[in-house]
Amino acid sequence: MTEVETATDLLNQPISSASVVRYRSVLDFPTEEALREALQCGVTNDVPSFATPQTDPEDFEWALSKADPVTTEAQTVEEELERLMCLKSYCLLDADREEVFDRLARLGKRALRVPYCNVSLMDFSRQWVVACEGTDQREYARNITMCSHTVQLKKNIRSLVIKDATEDFRFCENPFVQAGAVRFYAGAPLISPEGYQIGSFCVFDPLPRPHGLSASEEATLLDLAALATREMVRYRDAKRAMIPESLIISTSHELRTPLGALELALTLLTEDNILHEQLNAKQHGVLVNAKRTSDLVAQLCEHSIDMLRNSPRHRRLSVSSTYTLRDQISLIATLLNRQALVDFSVDKNIPESIVSNEISLLQIALNLIDHGLNTSAGNSIELRLLKRVAQDTAHKLHDELVFECQYRLSDEVHVSADEIFNDHLGLQSLVYWTSVLCGHYGCAPTGERNVLVFSAVPLFQVANEDINEDSKAGPVSDGTTCMRFPAPSEGPPKDCFTTNPASERCALVIEDSLVVRKTIIRALKSLGYATKEAKDGLEGLKCLKDSVYDVVLCDFLMPVMDGLDCMKQYREWESKERPSVRQYVVGMSAHVSSEASHQGFEAGMDDFRPKPISIQTLEEILESDRVKNKTIARRIKQ
């Protein structure tokens, strides 16, 4: 049996000092706080993750003993917590082997002429092997692996090379070294885009290598580590795309673009004087209702995205107008009443303003309406918005805002009142938002096959209410009759946009979506701008070189050439061919993030606005000093 075969047998056997019980993973901890408590394990956040006179690294599994302070960065509990949470997000722990990582391991073995190569991740108390060439073992105890030192290399040290582990104080007593399985080791950390060293790409040999790695061999090792990290990012993105929540977020993002175009188009229609002269009051009311409904859908999309991302915005409380809430519910009820009867009434004692989350309240109401119409007999429901006064003021119980939905169950629904909140009956939204607002919910029979479903949330009234009269949604009933939807205006709004055909201002719109592009162009024309359009970055680059515009609106993601590449190439051309003029460019993207805006600025954009682009946003852009003070009013041919 050769030395390599002997070493392979040793590497494939569990080490007695590291039993399975010690192999704990970040996956074992359901919350970040639980993981923090396990990491602390009797130590404070100030204690680094290698031995100190005050602590014994054996007391906590993730500690690094016998560290070299020259090459190793001490890791605090909080730093290790953040690293492990990042590692967890890559979805590779306990995953099946992937061919792409195995191929990289085989390439590393051949390129660096070693019998073993591993791509591994450093977990809570274990090293999880993503790909291994030469061995079959998928995990090892963290505290005996050389890679645990690699993941804690200082940022200015690119790799860890051990020419002969028997002569290194850190590894001479390592069980693999003492057994003759490992003497030469070289590893490079896998550095995630977030900046955390989550694992290592390493090669090792049972024979020492006195010369270590040459400069070209080290470069190969680093390149392979970078390739492995890139594939891990791709793997994570693919896994995330398969998660239902991610699909919903992605769908909501995609909806925002056509929805933004719809909002903009409806805004233009409602503010078109010529159109309104041809509409009667009923037709004008339909148009206004369509505009208000699109605005409402946009708000619900944003709220759903915040919820799925667990953004604090979806839980944030603020002063909310109950008139706006009544108005929104009435709008939906009025539109539905053409196909089903929604009898909506409001208690006149409800205050005008409360501290709550307006969109969460609306989603409770919408879930009740949807559930009621889907399970009622005859598509008829009663929805009431009530104020319930606290009965036990001695214990400081608060008043409640109560949504009540009463209807007769369809004969096709075979459940009792206490089974109403089963998942298949579709009240998950009510349950979630009621819980978010610290309320309670329930259901009670009110007669044979008649039920009352309710949601009650705390009602905190705002002192010295001062709600603008314009925000009131029309007359409110005495609580026994349906609240009336405000009658539509008899004519067009007073403040309408007018087109100035003599205007010399010109704008360029670079956008791949035909609907969005045409809608923005129409809006710009209504604001007195001549326009030019391009359907991708390549066409946009040509237009930019041909002319100078008062403002350019450029999408980020487009076919052929995206907006970022278009801007980079244009700025490079502009600096050489048109150095005296800097074109003002506003980037547009449906992916709202600081990273997106930073990428736009890096590419050469002057401003960034998230999609959908509203008429108000366009006005803000066009009224800015950067646009208003421009002296170029007509295109300049090169």
Side-chain angles (χ1 to χ4, degrees):
M1 183 177 290
T2 66
E3 291 186 24
V4 171
E5 290 173 339
T6 304
T8 301
D9 291 339
L10 291 170
L11 289 168
N12 285 328
Q13 291 179 1
I15 301 298
S16 60
S17 63
S19 64
V20 176
V21 178
R22 292 179 62 82
Y23 291 167
R24 289 203 289 173
S25 169
V26 65
L27 302 178
D28 299 332
F29 304 97
T31 66
E32 189 173 316
E33 187 55 39
L35 177 60
R36 178 183 285 105
E37 291 178 3
L39 287 170
Q40 289 173 339
C41 194
V43 301
T44 68
N45 290 356
D46 297 327
V47 177
S49 70
F50 48 76
T52 67
Q54 294 79 23
T55 60
D56 183 350
E58 293 297 326
D59 292 339
F60 43 108
E61 300 124 293
W62 60 279
L64 189 63
S65 61
K66 296 184 178 179
D68 180 1
V70 176
T71 60
T72 307
E73 190 73 50
Q75 190 94 323
T76 66
V77 169
E78 286 301 317
E79 290 168 342
E80 179 65 7
L81 172 70
E82 293 173 3
R83 193 193 68 82
L84 286 173
M85 292 302 294
C86 176
L87 169 65
K88 185 178 181 180
S89 72
Y90 281 81
C91 308
L92 277 163
L93 295 172
D94 291 340
D96 293 334
R97 292 179 65 161
E98 296 287 330
E99 174 60 24
V100 63
F101 299 115
D102 286 340
R103 186 177 296 119
L104 288 173
R106 291 194 296 269
L107 182 59
K109 177 182 175 181
R110 291 196 303 269
L112 298 174
R113 305 183 310 282
V114 290
Y116 307 108
C117 181
N118 281 358
V119 182
S120 60
L121 302 172
M122 199 55 60
D123 201 356
F124 184 96
S125 67
R126 64 171 179 167
Q127 175 181 335
W128 175 254
V129 181
V130 177
C132 45
E133 185 61 25
T135 66
D136 296 322
Q137 193 79 357
R138 296 298 305 276
E139 60 180 7
Y140 300 96
R142 175 174 175 171
N143 58 5
I144 64 170
T145 63
M146 295 182 177
C147 291
S148 61
H149 293 257
T150 302
V151 298
Q152 284 189 219
L153 284 176
K154 291 184 176 180
K155 302 299 182 183
N156 61 332
I157 300 177
R158 300 189 300 171
S159 64
L160 175 65
V161 179
I162 308 299
K163 299 177 182 179
D164 188 344
T166 61
E167 298 177 358
D168 192 299
F169 78 96
R170 293 168 292 182
F171 309 118
C172 58
E173 296 180 0
N174 183 286
F176 289 123
V177 175
Q178 289 187 333
V182 180
R183 290 187 69 179
F184 167 72
Y185 169 92
L190 302 178
I191 305 174
S192 73
E194 298 85 0
Y196 297 104
Q197 299 183 169
I198 58 175
S200 66
F201 191 103
C202 73
V203 295
F204 48 98
D205 195 323
L207 300 175
R209 185 177 290 191
H211 64 274
L213 289 181
S214 66
S216 62
E217 288 174 330
E218 184 186 27
T220 299
L221 180 68
L222 294 172
D223 286 342
L224 289 170
L227 287 172
T229 303
R230 186 183 69 178
E231 293 303 327
M232 287 180 179
V233 172
R234 290 179 176 176
Y235 182 90
R236 180 180 63 177
D237 292 344
K239 285 294 183 181
R240 283 179 171 177
M242 297 171 62
I243 300 173
E245 289 84 352
S246 298
L247 290 174
I248 295 172
I249 291 176
S250 178
T251 302
S252 297
H253 271 299
E254 292 163 1
L255 284 173
R256 290 155 87 187
T257 296
L259 184 60
L262 176 63
E263 285 186 286
L264 201 53
L266 289 171
T267 299
L268 293 170
L269 288 175
T270 56
E271 297 175 344
D272 190 325
N273 282 318
I274 298 176
L275 174 65
H276 285 295
E277 290 175 359
Q278 304 174 22
L279 298 179
N280 58 35
K282 182 177 180 180
Q283 291 169 330
H284 178 262
V286 171
L287 183 58
V288 171
N289 284 350
K291 174 64 172 67
R292 296 172 67 197
T293 304
S294 71
D295 292 341
L296 185 57
V297 174
Q299 292 181 55
L300 292 172
C301 277
E302 293 292 336
H303 201 235
S304 297
I305 292 172
D306 286 341
M307 177 196 72
L308 292 168
R309 285 177 168 168
N310 201 27
S311 167
R313 286 187 299 180
H314 88 279
R315 298 172 179 267
R316 189 171 296 153
L317 302 182
S318 61
V319 176
S320 303
S321 167
T322 56
Y323 277 114
T324 301
L325 176 64
R326 300 172 190 183
D327 185 33
Q328 292 170 331
I329 298 173
S330 291
L331 171 63
I332 301 300
T334 301
L335 296 175
L336 288 173
N337 279 340
R338 297 172 184 174
Q339 299 177 342
L341 177 61
V342 180
D343 187 11
F344 177 47
S345 59
V346 180
D347 186 342
K348 63 182 180 181
N349 295 316
I350 293 176
E352 297 179 8
S353 57
I354 60 175
V355 176
S356 191
N357 187 306
E358 199 171 286
I359 300 297
S360 299
L361 295 175
L362 176 61
Q363 292 196 277
I364 291 173
L366 293 180
N367 196 200
L368 279 172
I369 293 173
D370 180 66
H371 168 264
L373 293 178
N374 287 336
T375 57
S376 68
N379 291 331
S380 175
I381 65 172
E382 293 181 34
L383 180 65
R384 295 186 289 270
L385 189 57
L386 309 171
K387 176 183 178 181
R388 182 182 295 163
V389 179
Q391 301 296 315
D392 188 1
T393 55
H395 290 84
K396 298 182 180 180
L397 297 182
H398 45 70
D399 296 345
E400 291 180 325
L401 183 66
V402 183
F403 298 83
E404 289 187 349
C405 186
Q406 188 167 355
Y407 56 91
R408 181 178 178 80
L409 281 173
S410 169
D411 293 336
E412 298 176 358
V413 179
H414 303 289
V415 295
S416 59
D418 59 356
E419 296 175 308
I420 284 293
F421 282 92
N422 285 354
D423 287 346
H424 69 278
L425 287 177
L427 280 166
Q428 298 95 325
S429 182
L430 177 145
V431 170
Y432 179 79
W433 295 114
T434 303
S435 301
V436 166
L437 295 175
C438 300
H440 58 100
Y441 54 86
C443 178
T446 58
E448 186 177 357
R449 298 203 62 76
N450 290 332
V451 296
L452 175 74
V453 183
F454 74 90
S455 167
V457 298
L459 192 157
F460 298 110
Q461 186 169 344
V462 179
N464 301 320
E465 292 178 347
D466 185 18
I467 301 296
N468 191 313
E469 289 297 320
D470 293 337
S471 67
K472 298 186 179 181
V476 181
S477 74
D478 58 4
T480 58
T481 59
C482 184
M483 178 173 128
R484 298 290 187 270
F485 187 77
S489 169
E490 296 295 333
K494 295 179 180 179
D495 299 323
C496 296
F497 296 117
T498 57
T499 302
N500 177 13
S503 172
E504 294 179 318
R505 290 185 176 273
C506 187
L508 170 65
V509 179
I510 309 173
E511 166 65 58
D512 62 316
S513 169
L514 177 64
V515 174
V516 175
R517 190 169 70 247
K518 293 297 184 184
T519 306
I520 294 177
I521 286 173
R522 182 174 179 181
L524 286 167
K525 287 182 177 179
S526 74
L527 294 169
Y529 275 71
T531 60
K532 190 165 184 177
E533 59 184 287
K535 67 177 183 294
D536 56 53
L538 192 61
E539 283 190 9
L541 181 60
K542 184 179 183 302
C543 293
L544 284 165
K545 291 180 178 179
D546 286 346
S547 306
V548 176
Y549 306 85
D550 291 277
V551 64
V552 175
L553 297 169
C554 182
D555 189 23
F556 274 42
L557 300 178
M558 293 180 289
V560 184
M561 179 188 289
D562 64 29
L564 298 178
D565 285 339
C566 172
M567 283 312 305
K568 288 176 183 177
Q569 292 190 33
Y570 172 70
R571 292 303 186 199
E572 184 178 349
W573 176 90
E574 183 185 58
S575 64
K576 298 176 182 178
E577 305 295 332
R578 196 186 288 157
S580 61
V581 178
R582 179 177 173 86
Q583 176 65 65
Y584 184 62
V585 181
V586 178
M588 305 182 295
S589 175
H591 301 281
V592 184
S593 67
S594 57
E595 181 182 358
S597 59
H598 178 72
Q599 289 175 342
F601 293 134
E602 285 287 317
M605 294 177 179
D606 300 287
D607 197 359
F608 170 81
R609 298 301 171 99
K611 288 184 180 179
I613 300 293
S614 66
I615 196 79
Q616 291 82 7
T617 301
L618 281 177
E619 286 183 303
E620 290 175 9
I621 294 171
L622 301 179
E623 289 298 316
S624 66
D625 292 340
R626 293 290 298 274
V627 176
K628 287 178 67 176
N629 295 338
K630 276 188 174 293
T631 57
I632 50 171
R634 59 171 56 93
R635 290 177 292 176
I636 303 171
K637 294 293 183 181
Q638 297 301 304

